[in-house]
Amino acid sequence: MPQLFSADWMNELKDLWNADPDVKDKLAAINFNSVITCGIKGEDKPLGVFVVENGECVRAGDYAGETPDWDMRAARKDWMKWTQEPLGMVGLGTAYTFGKLKFLSGDYGAMIKNPAMAGPFIKSFALMAKIDTQ
């Protein structure tokens, strides 16, 4: 059972992402390219990195100084809750509004208003819930 945001965990997410047409193919359709990082709120650096080129995750693992386009942070207890009960659209809005999910990089408002990005983003939380996490 991989540790949250460890290289093993990030690579499991990569495999799930690339196998899911509702994520990979929909993002490929809009030529989505991004460096996505995840970590714990209050820490200096993110823990994991996820590199997407034309919708496909081409690299995932431990954060190694990459400049993120999206840097998502939350308390460990919230991340762990979301790996058990993934966020939907309403839960995501609530988590963002009340500061449980922070974006240190990236424009949450623009992303959530764009259905081509919002749908796959919400789906990524469902993918996280498929990983047996510790």
Side-chain angles (χ1 to χ4, degrees):
M1 180 181 325
Q3 205 49 266
L4 179 69
F5 302 136
S6 67
D8 289 341
W9 193 94
M10 297 300 288
N11 277 287
E12 280 192 46
L13 181 59
K14 172 187 172 195
D15 292 343
L16 292 167
W17 175 291
N18 289 337
D20 193 316
D22 286 334
V23 176
K24 185 183 102 175
D25 295 350
K26 295 214 182 219
L27 291 173
I30 62 167
N31 299 312
F32 182 79
N33 298 292
S34 211
V35 174
I36 303 165
T37 58
C38 302
I40 306 302
K41 196 165 35 170
E43 292 188 359
D44 290 338
K45 296 185 288 185
L47 298 170
V49 65
F50 202 75
V51 180
V52 179
E53 294 178 3
N54 290 317
E56 180 179 4
C57 180
V58 296
R59 184 170 59 83
D62 293 327
Y63 175 74
E66 299 87 349
T67 300
D69 299 299
W70 297 91
D71 184 356
M72 298 182 294
R73 306 293 183 93
R76 180 175 169 74
K77 69 178 177 68
D78 290 321
W79 282 120
M80 292 304 291
K81 177 181 171 190
W82 300 330
T83 64
Q84 301 300 310
E85 302 167 22
L87 289 172
M89 188 64 82
V90 172
L92 176 62
T94 301
Y96 178 75
T97 300
F98 289 102
K100 289 188 176 217
L101 180 62
K102 295 270 189 193
F103 288 80
L104 301 187
S105 297
D107 186 345
Y108 170 82
M111 179 271 299
I112 210 67
K113 291 175 188 168
N114 179 347
M117 288 178 68
F121 181 72
I122 295 294
K123 178 73 179 204
S124 71
F125 280 90
L127 296 177
M128 290 179 191
K130 293 182 177 185
I131 302 170
D132 197 13
T133 304
Q134 65 174 342

